[in-house]
């Protein structure tokens, strides 16, 4: 409010006070200090109004304060005219700055993002009146040194620039970023161009061409395959030019490989128009030709992946890989990221500049699937950093039949991404040129700041969830609006025709050319000119590896020379001079020295270190992640040592030989799904390395079941993709309760078929050593599941002599030691009972046999449960006479562990036709184990007793 010349009116002061009480930061600093002191000393608050006797100068002078431009006068408060003008200008300038900030923070809320034009709330803070600026201020000049357009601009000009930048087809959330330099970089890029890109005629024609290709593909599919599921991209066709420009930008920024991942919505269109999968191959899948080729395997067409070498406008090449994906929507994302990291590591791209991921999400899934939060959290962690990912949300504003109001608690589907220090660009998908602007800006941001960036492209889903679905059942109002919308290609064509950027003849030629290609491809398929393609042989980095049966590959020698093992143990016990090891670890290192000298056997963790070290010195890289893997959950590994004085770190495993391959051992965040997915993805591009993931406890693998079911167990059958990922799952019943006992062996065995995975439960350190080395030395590549110990890590009997590491290989079955050493199996003739077991319980059975001195009981260990070693077990049973009682013994309840699988397997095999087989287990249970340590001991004692024929 203005005051008359030479007089600072009471109303003016009251206005400032009202502003102060509403928002202390809204008044100039000198008035802020004045009101703050007055509030403190005189109780001014929201309930106190200034009366007609109020004399600001008296308060100032009485307290010895410096007055903000005030001088005392006989009946009121007077100021010099210049001082008054300065005060009023300062107030208005401050209000303008608040308004500018409001647009940067809230402008996205009134941006025209929705192609359907649905009503949206209008925030008060974007109204100039909200900050005290009126129509009278519209043509008043303001100082704008930090705003493009000149150092002095009128409020009208300023508002126009802000609205153009933040409230047209682009809305941006970026003020949550803490780093001022990042915010200023974004402000400068956006406000200098008013968030609009000037496109050349060539680029406009390219966009139209891409939109035409996308639209024609969908229309063709809908005409030729009425009602067939294709998960149409209609309503979101701008995704195709978006991807086109993103790939071109990436190439210009040095990217040579891109890994893409997406769910089924629009996948066929992306396969045809971005990945350049032959149209005839796509149509052949629709035709369902030669179904016998896919019996028992394969996947639906809109889950398949593809690779393609993209040639850019400048002649550069970018290798594109679109990942296969199940219907579990977002779970492919960590897999794709792991693949990118592996590609970077393969070429020693430590700066993460030559490969990147481009992830395409659905709006409902981005908000609803927890794996999104996991990968965002992982994005800046050293072990999972890939240099920044471009996330594109195809925002259909609908999830199947669920509206946003039922599907999320946030205004935007992307609000979970605000956990990152990255911008979120919301854009109207019916404005392709605005989409091009955000793609350009997003890719530049990713390159400059090495962070993830999000594009939320608002569009709609013209059809139902699939082509046989009726969406108007549940969203009648929404689909009434959708039915009236023209295709985005038609809208953009009209825009270009008005500008003269393209002619109607050119536009029609795009349509006719694509129609001809589509018709020709379909005709070739229906005339039998396109034959089904057999599964492609493995190529590139996979050329030397096999997914065949175990028997076809054969065994390999996994031993390491004893002198080399001794040297490694010595090296593993050495730390740099001056490195202060924690005093409790001195004993740990001394044990390694004693093992090297043969004074004690090699324990489990030393065996692991020898396996990883020997693999690395053979030129094979190793990567191990998981929760607390550096030290080990049970304080057993200590792969990375910390200086007790300054927290410097040292990794003995990386100091075993000159030129050894990389060993990366890193703690993961507290997540299983995202991390296991990442490591599985890493293994897809690292067949020549050992990729391990360790669960903190084997039970926690439960939280990654989708990755296990949809990728690890079934990917070879569905997509012909191999993986050598190794899972280490601590397992064993030791009275630690239901959540710290079982790695759910039964689930792994239920998933086992067609030699898809390997499941082992080794009982000695040497066995563990050999199975890890076998995983990378032989050319077979199958996921390996290792049930690893907890209490046995420090069990005095769980050690192996160095000779066992130097010779032989992994034994799938370990016969009874007594029988094996007996001449012509003489002892076997006295055996009346053969106990079969796997894993930890062997040592309890062994101790009980020694305690009872039962020479009539043999114990056979089955170390590999899948593929089941029938012939090895047959050989181990061969010495025993007909009618000898065979007993399977396990810790797990009867409905868990290996017994359900073995019972079904043995019923179909003659292995025990001459030896009656039964089982000793815990009783059936809904929970793996009791929570009472005392009850656990009673149950365990009962199992051991029954195994030997007791009650």
């Amino acid at each position: 409010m203005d005051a008359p010349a030479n007089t600072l009116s009471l109303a003016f002061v009251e206005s400032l006070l009202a502003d102060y009480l509403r928002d202390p930061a809204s008044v100039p600093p000198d008035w802020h200090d004045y009101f703050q002191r007055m509030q403190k000393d005189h109780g001014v608050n929201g309930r106190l109004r200034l009366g007609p006797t109020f004399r600001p100068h008296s308060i100032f002078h009485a307290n010895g304060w410096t007055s903000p431009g005030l001088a005392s006068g006989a009946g009121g408060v007077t100021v010099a005219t210049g001082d008054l003008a300065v005060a009023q200008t300062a107030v208005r300038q401050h209000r303008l700055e608040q308004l500018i900030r409001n647009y940067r923070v809230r402008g996205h809320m009134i941006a025209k993002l929705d192609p359907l034009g649905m009503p949206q709330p209008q925030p008060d803070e974007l109204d100039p009146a909200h900050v005290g600026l009126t129509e009278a201020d519209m043509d008043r000049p303001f100082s704008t040194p930090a705003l493009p357009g000149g150092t002095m601009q009128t409020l009208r000009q300023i508002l126009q620039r802000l609205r153009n930048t933040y409230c047209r087809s682009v809305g941006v959330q970026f003020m949550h970023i803490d780093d001022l330099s990042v915010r200023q970089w974004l402000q400068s890029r956006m406000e200098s161009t008013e968030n609009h890109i000037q496109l050349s005629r060539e680029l406009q024609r390219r966009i139209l061409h891409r939109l035409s290709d996308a639209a024609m593909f969908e229309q063709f599919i809908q005409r030729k395959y009425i009602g067939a599921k294709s998960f149409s991209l209609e309503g979101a066709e701008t995704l195709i030019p978006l991807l086109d420009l993103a790939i071109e930008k990436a190439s210009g920024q040095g990217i040579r490989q891109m890994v893409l991942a997406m769910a089924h919505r629009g996948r066929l269109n992306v396969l045809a128009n971005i990945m350049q999968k032959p149209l005839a191959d796509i149509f052949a899948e629709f035709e369902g030709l030669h179904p016998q080729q896919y019996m028992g395997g394969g996947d639906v067409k809109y889950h398949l992946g593809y690779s393609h070498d993209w040639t850019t406008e400048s002649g550069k090449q970018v290798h594109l890989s679109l990942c296969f994906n199940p219907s579990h929507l977002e779970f492919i994302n960590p897999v794709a990221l792991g693949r990118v990291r592996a590609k970077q590591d393969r070429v020693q791209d430590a700066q993460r500049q030559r490969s990147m991921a481009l992830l395409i999400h659905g709006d409902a899934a981005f908000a609803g699937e927890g794996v999104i939060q996991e990968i965002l959290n992982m994005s800046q962690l050293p072990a999972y950093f890939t240099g920044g990912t471009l996330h594109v949300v195809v925002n259909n504003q609908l999830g199947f039949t669920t509206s946003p109001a039922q599907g999320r608690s946030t205004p935007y589907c992307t609000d979970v991404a605000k956990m990152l220090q990255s911008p979120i660009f919301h854009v109207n998908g019916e404005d392709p040129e605005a989409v091009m602007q955000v793609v350009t800006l997003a890719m530049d941001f990713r390159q400059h700041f090495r962070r993830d960036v999000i594009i939320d492209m608002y569009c709609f889903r013209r059809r139902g969830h699939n082509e046989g679905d009726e969406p108007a059942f549940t969203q009648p109002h929404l689909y009434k609006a959708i039915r009236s919308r023209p295709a985005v290609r038609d809208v953009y064509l009209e825009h270009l025709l008005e500008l003269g950027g393209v002619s109607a003849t050119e536009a029609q030629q795009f349509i006719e050319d694509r129609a001809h290609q589509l018709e020709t491809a379909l005709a070739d398929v229906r005339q039998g000119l396109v034959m089904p393609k057999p599964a492609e042989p493995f190529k590139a980095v996979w050329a030397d590896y096999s997914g065949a049966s175990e028997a076809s590959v054969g065994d390999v020698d996994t031993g390491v020379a004893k002198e080399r093992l001794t040297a490694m143990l010595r090296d593993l016990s050495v730390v740099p001079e001056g490195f202060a090891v924690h005093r409790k670890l001195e004993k740990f290192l001394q044990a390694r020295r004693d093992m090297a000298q043969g004074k004690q056997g090699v324990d489990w963790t030393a065996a692991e270190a020898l396996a990883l070290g020997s693999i690395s010195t053979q030129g094979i890289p190793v990567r191990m992640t998981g929760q607390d893997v550096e030290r080990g959950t049970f304080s057993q590994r200590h792969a990375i040592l910390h200086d007790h004085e300054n927290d410097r770190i040292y990794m003995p495993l990386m100091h075993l030989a000159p030129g050894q391959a990389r060993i990366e051992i890193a703690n993961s965040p507290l997540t299983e799904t995202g991390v296991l997915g990442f490591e599985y993805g890493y293994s897809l591009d690292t067949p020549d390395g050992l990729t391990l993931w360790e669960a903190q406890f084997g039970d926690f693998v439960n939280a990654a079941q989708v990755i296990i079911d949809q990728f690890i167990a079934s990917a070879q059958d569905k997509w012909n993709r191999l993986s050598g990922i190794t899972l280490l799952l601590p397992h064993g019943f030791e009275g630690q309760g239901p959540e710290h006992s079982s790695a759910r062996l039964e689930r792994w065995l239920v998933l086992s078929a067609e030699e898809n995975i390997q499941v082992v439960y080794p009982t000695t350190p040497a066995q563990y050593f050999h199975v890890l080395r076998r995983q990378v030395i032989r050319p077979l590549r199958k996921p390996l599941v290792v049930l690893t110990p907890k209490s046995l890590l420090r069990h005095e009997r769980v050690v192996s002599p160095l000779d066992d590491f130097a010779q032989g290989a992994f034994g799938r079955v370990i016969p009874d030691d007594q029988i094996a050493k007996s001449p012509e199996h003489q002892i076997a003739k006295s055996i009346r009972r053969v106990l079969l077991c796997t894993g930890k319980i062997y040592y309890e059975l062994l101790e009980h046999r020694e305690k009872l001195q039962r020479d009539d009981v043999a114990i056979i260990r089955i170390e590999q449960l899948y593929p089941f070693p029938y012939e090895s077990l047959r050989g181990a049973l061969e010495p025993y006479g007909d009618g000898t009682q065979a007993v399977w013994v396990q810790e797990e309840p009867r409905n868990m562990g290996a017994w359900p699988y073995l019972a079904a397997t043995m019923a179909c095999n003659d292995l025990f036709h001459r030896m009656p087989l039964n089982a000793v287990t815990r009783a059936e249970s809904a929970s793996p184990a009791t929570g009472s340590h005392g009850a656990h001991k009673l149950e365990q004692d009962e199992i051991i007793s029954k195994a030997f024929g007791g009650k």
Side-chain angles (χ1 to χ4, degrees):
M1 182 180 293
D2 293 343
N6 298 317
T7 303
L8 188 60
S9 70
L10 182 61
F12 180 74
V13 178
E14 284 180 327
S15 173
L16 282 179
L17 177 59
D19 287 346
Y20 170 81
L21 294 174
R22 184 181 67 251
D23 179 7
S26 66
V27 299
D30 51 0
W31 284 98
H32 178 278
D33 294 344
Y34 168 51
F35 287 132
Q36 188 177 47
R37 295 187 185 190
M38 190 170 68
Q39 189 173 30
K40 177 180 178 182
D41 295 344
H42 297 276
V44 175
N45 55 46
R47 295 184 300 276
L48 179 64
R49 299 297 179 190
L50 300 176
T53 60
F54 175 65
R55 296 290 183 267
H57 68 283
S58 62
I59 299 175
F60 273 96
H61 295 302
N63 288 278
W65 302 341
T66 302
S67 165
L70 296 175
S72 59
V77 180
T78 60
V79 295
T81 303
D83 290 340
L84 175 61
V86 169
Q88 292 172 330
T89 299
V91 169
R92 282 193 294 267
Q93 186 69 34
H94 186 79
R95 290 172 175 172
L96 172 69
E97 290 167 1
Q98 185 180 5
L99 183 64
I100 292 173
R101 178 177 173 80
N102 288 352
Y103 268 87
R104 289 167 175 165
V105 175
R106 296 280 183 266
H108 58 85
M109 296 182 70
I110 62 170
K112 298 175 180 61
L113 302 175
D114 185 0
L116 302 175
M118 295 297 182
Q120 58 188 5
Q122 302 292 309
D124 292 340
E125 57 261 49
L126 299 181
D127 184 348
H130 181 76
V131 296
L133 295 171
T134 69
E135 185 63 31
D137 296 311
M138 282 297 176
D139 295 311
R140 191 188 302 276
F142 287 84
S143 175
T144 53
L147 197 67
T151 56
M152 295 294 293
Q153 299 178 62
T154 66
L155 178 58
R156 195 180 306 279
Q157 292 171 321
I158 294 165
L159 279 173
Q160 189 61 51
R161 180 172 292 276
L162 293 172
R163 288 167 180 165
N164 286 348
T165 303
Y166 298 112
C167 308
R168 288 191 294 183
S169 294
V170 177
V172 189
Q173 290 177 285
F174 70 103
M175 293 296 281
H176 58 278
I177 300 173
D178 294 328
D179 190 328
L180 176 62
S181 65
V182 177
R183 296 200 306 272
Q184 289 177 334
W185 186 91
L186 286 162
Q187 285 169 199
S188 175
R189 287 291 303 268
M190 293 187 293
E191 292 172 1
S192 62
T193 63
E194 297 186 2
N195 248 341
H196 179 72
I197 189 171
Q198 295 295 328
L199 299 181
S200 65
R201 181 178 183 275
E202 289 71 24
L203 187 51
Q204 289 175 329
R205 292 180 73 258
R206 185 181 178 106
I207 293 169
L208 181 63
H209 200 161
R210 288 300 193 177
L211 287 173
S212 300
D213 287 348
M216 284 300 296
F217 179 84
E218 297 297 349
Q219 292 170 19
F220 189 84
I221 293 294
Q222 300 308 320
R223 287 200 320 271
K224 301 296 183 178
Y225 300 103
I226 298 171
K229 287 185 179 180
S230 65
F231 297 96
S232 165
L233 189 63
E234 290 170 286
E237 294 94 333
T238 309
L239 176 65
I240 300 304
L242 185 160
L243 296 177
D244 179 275
L245 181 60
I247 296 166
E248 292 286 327
K249 282 288 294 183
S251 170
Q253 294 170 348
I255 297 295
R256 293 295 169 261
Q257 297 192 80
M258 292 182 72
V259 178
L260 291 79
M262 67 183 298
H264 43 270
R265 176 80 51 214
R267 174 180 283 260
L268 293 176
N269 208 310
V270 171
L271 281 167
N273 291 311
I274 296 296
M275 301 305 300
Q276 299 299 303
K277 181 175 181 177
L279 294 171
D281 289 354
I282 296 175
F283 297 151
E285 292 161 1
F286 273 100
E287 294 288 321
L289 302 176
H290 308 284
Q292 67 277 4
Q293 180 179 335
Y294 304 100
M295 289 181 66
D299 201 353
V300 293
K301 49 191 167 293
Y302 40 79
H303 287 172
L304 302 179
Y306 199 74
S307 294
H308 170 64
D309 288 323
W310 175 289
T311 302
T312 69
E313 287 288 289
S314 62
K316 297 177 181 176
Q317 289 225 323
V318 181
H319 183 70
L320 306 180
S321 298
L322 176 63
C323 297
F324 45 78
N325 193 35
S327 286
H328 290 63
L329 303 179
E330 302 294 336
F331 287 86
I332 187 61
N333 294 319
V335 177
L337 293 170
R339 292 191 63 189
V340 171
R341 175 72 176 229
K343 290 176 184 294
Q344 293 168 343
D345 287 348
R346 174 171 295 282
V347 296
Q348 299 180 344
D349 178 16
Q351 300 303 312
R352 318 292 171 194
Q353 294 178 332
R354 296 174 61 183
S355 302
M356 67 167 285
L358 195 162
L359 306 181
I360 305 167
H361 313 270
D363 51 314
F366 196 87
E369 296 284 4
V371 70
I372 292 296
Q373 183 275 335
E374 294 182 15
I375 63 168
L376 295 176
N377 181 55
M378 293 162 62
S379 66
Q380 290 291 306
L381 303 181
Y384 307 95
F385 178 66
T386 61
T389 295
L390 177 62
H391 299 266
V392 177
V393 179
V394 178
N395 192 337
N396 292 308
Q397 307 180 71
L398 185 63
F400 200 163
T401 67
T402 302
S403 65
Q406 294 174 303
R408 62 177 187 260
S409 298
T410 58
Y412 293 109
C413 66
T414 53
D415 280 340
V416 66
K418 290 173 73 174
M419 66 185 287
L420 297 183
Q421 297 289 296
S422 297
I424 302 169
F425 298 101
H426 307 281
V427 62
N428 189 324
E430 275 199 356
D431 187 343
E433 297 191 5
V435 173
M436 297 306 102
Q437 161 68 5
V438 298
V439 171
T440 301
L441 188 52
M443 290 296 291
D444 287 349
F445 178 90
R446 190 208 71 87
Q447 182 195 37
H448 190 80
F449 293 105
R450 320 297 294 149
R451 301 181 192 174
D452 287 22
V453 61
I454 295 87
I455 297 175
D456 176 20
M457 188 180 79
Y458 273 68
C459 45
F460 54 85
R461 190 186 71 198
R462 188 171 291 280
R463 300 178 186 274
H465 175 66
N466 60 57
E467 282 61 31
D469 181 40
E470 175 48 75
F473 286 156
T474 50
Q475 275 80 27
H477 180 65
L478 178 67
Y479 273 85
K480 183 178 180 180
I482 289 173
R483 281 193 294 270
S484 67
R485 296 300 301 171
V488 62
R489 184 258 179 196
D490 297 339
V491 175
Y492 189 58
L493 172 58
E494 185 177 338
H495 168 70
L496 293 186
L497 291 174
E498 289 177 359
L499 294 177
V502 68
S503 69
T505 302
E506 284 180 295
Q508 185 58 30
Q509 193 63 49
F510 294 158
I511 295 293
E512 292 176 2
D513 289 347
R514 194 55 169 169
H516 176 72
Q517 294 167 3
L518 292 164
E519 291 287 0
T520 300
L522 181 57
D524 288 346
V525 171
R526 290 182 172 174
Q527 292 170 20
L529 301 179
V530 177
M531 299 303 294
K533 295 181 179 179
E536 289 190 2
F538 298 112
K539 299 181 295 186
V541 297
W542 281 97
D544 296 329
Y545 302 96
S546 169
S549 67
E550 194 173 50
S552 68
V553 173
D555 286 330
V556 292
D557 183 359
T558 51
V560 175
K562 189 173 181 179
E563 58 272 19
R564 179 69 192 124
L565 296 169
T566 300
M568 278 196 290
L569 283 169
R570 284 198 301 265
D571 291 340
L572 289 168
S573 68
V574 174
V575 296
E577 186 176 349
F579 191 95
V581 176
H582 193 286
R583 60 182 180 81
K584 292 185 178 179
L585 291 182
E586 287 290 355
K587 184 178 179 181
F588 173 83
L589 297 176
Q590 183 59 49
R592 297 278 171 93
R593 300 182 195 108
D594 291 344
M595 293 173 198
Q597 296 171 14
K599 295 180 180 179
Q600 67 181 69
V602 177
D603 65 14
W604 196 273
T605 54
E608 179 185 85
L610 289 174
L612 303 187
S614 61
I615 289 169
S616 169
T617 56
Q618 286 180 238
I620 300 170
V622 176
R623 175 181 166 92
M624 174 192 285
T625 69
Q627 293 156 26
D628 308 295
V629 295
E630 293 180 6
R631 193 202 75 173
T633 298
F634 313 103
S635 195
Q636 84 280 10
R637 181 172 290 121
H638 299 289
I640 295 178
L641 303 174
H642 293 255
D643 191 305
H644 197 49
E645 302 297 331
N646 54 28
D647 212 26
R648 180 169 50 132
I649 63 171
Y650 179 73
M651 187 175 177
L653 277 167
M654 276 304 295
H655 298 273
L656 299 178
Q660 69 180 100
R662 179 188 68 259
I663 299 181
E664 183 177 14
I665 299 179
N667 293 337
S668 76
L670 194 64
T671 174
E672 288 79 30
T673 298
V675 171
L676 181 55
F678 190 101
E679 301 309 332
Y680 172 75
Y682 194 94
S683 73
L684 293 177
D685 281 77
T686 316
D688 50 352
L690 181 61
T691 305
L692 307 105
W693 176 75
E694 182 176 67
Q696 194 175 72
F697 285 87
D699 316 65
F700 300 165
V701 76
N702 281 347
Q705 199 66 44
V706 172
I707 303 299
I708 295 162
D709 293 347
Q710 300 301 327
F711 297 100
I712 292 175
S714 60
Q716 182 176 355
D717 193 42
K718 292 190 293 189
W719 307 309
N720 196 35
R721 294 306 305 266
L722 303 182
S723 165
I725 189 169
T726 298
L727 281 68
L728 308 178
L729 309 179
H731 177 86
F733 285 56
E734 288 131 343
Q736 296 188 61
E739 276 71 57
H740 295 87
S741 299
S742 178
R744 294 293 190 172
L745 174 58
E746 64 280 357
R747 292 185 185 170
W748 291 106
L749 295 176
V750 164
L751 290 170
S752 300
E754 303 176 289
E755 294 202 22
N756 58 332
I757 57 176
Q758 308 163 84
V759 183
V760 302
Y761 194 179
T763 54
T764 73
Q767 281 280 86
Y768 182 46
F769 169 87
H770 286 297
V771 80
L772 290 181
R773 286 181 52 78
R774 183 184 78 170
Q775 182 68 353
V776 287
I777 291 176
R778 69 178 180 178
L780 188 70
R781 286 297 176 269
K782 306 275 184 169
L784 171 64
V785 180
V786 185
L787 276 67
T788 57
K790 296 176 289 179
S791 62
L792 297 190
L793 291 170
R794 294 175 177 83
H795 195 292
E796 61 182 7
R797 301 185 77 148
V798 186
V799 294
S800 300
L802 272 178
D803 287 341
D804 287 358
F805 297 84
Q807 302 168 4
F810 177 73
R812 296 173 180 83
V813 174
I814 301 181
D816 188 286
D817 290 343
Q818 298 180 80
I819 306 303
K821 296 174 183 177
S822 170
E824 298 183 358
H825 303 312
Q826 288 297 316
I827 296 178
K829 298 175 182 178
S830 64
I831 296 298
R832 298 291 174 264
R833 197 176 189 87
V834 176
L835 305 182
L836 299 104
C837 66
T838 187
K840 164 186 166 287
I841 202 168
Y842 165 73
Y843 291 96
E844 291 163 275
L845 294 171
L846 182 63
E847 289 171 5
H848 196 71
R849 183 174 72 174
E850 292 172 349
K851 178 182 177 182
L852 298 179
Q853 298 183 342
R854 290 286 299 273
D855 293 335
D856 63 337
V857 177
I859 307 175
I860 295 175
R861 288 170 272 174
I862 300 179
E863 304 275 292
Q864 178 169 298
L865 292 154
Y866 192 83
F868 193 78
Y870 292 104
E871 296 311 310
S872 296
L873 182 55
R874 192 185 303 278
L877 292 172
E878 195 265 336
Y880 307 106
D882 293 353
T884 303
Q885 179 68 53
V887 182
W888 175 259
V889 188
Q890 69 178 35
E891 300 180 295
E892 299 88 351
R894 197 171 190 84
N895 57 314
M896 301 179 190
W899 176 243
Y901 165 77
L902 291 173
T905 299
M906 297 313 164
C908 304
N909 190 280
D910 66 351
L911 201 58
F912 288 93
H913 73 282
R914 65 185 186 85
M915 301 173 68
L917 174 67
N918 58 33
V920 173
T921 72
R922 279 179 166 77
E924 286 189 354
S925 175
S927 175
T930 176
S932 163
H933 191 274
H936 160 78
K937 190 174 186 309
L938 289 174
E939 292 171 356
Q940 201 78 355
D941 290 346
E942 182 180 8
I943 288 171
I944 301 302
S945 177
K946 285 184 176 181
F948 285 86
K951 295 182 179 180

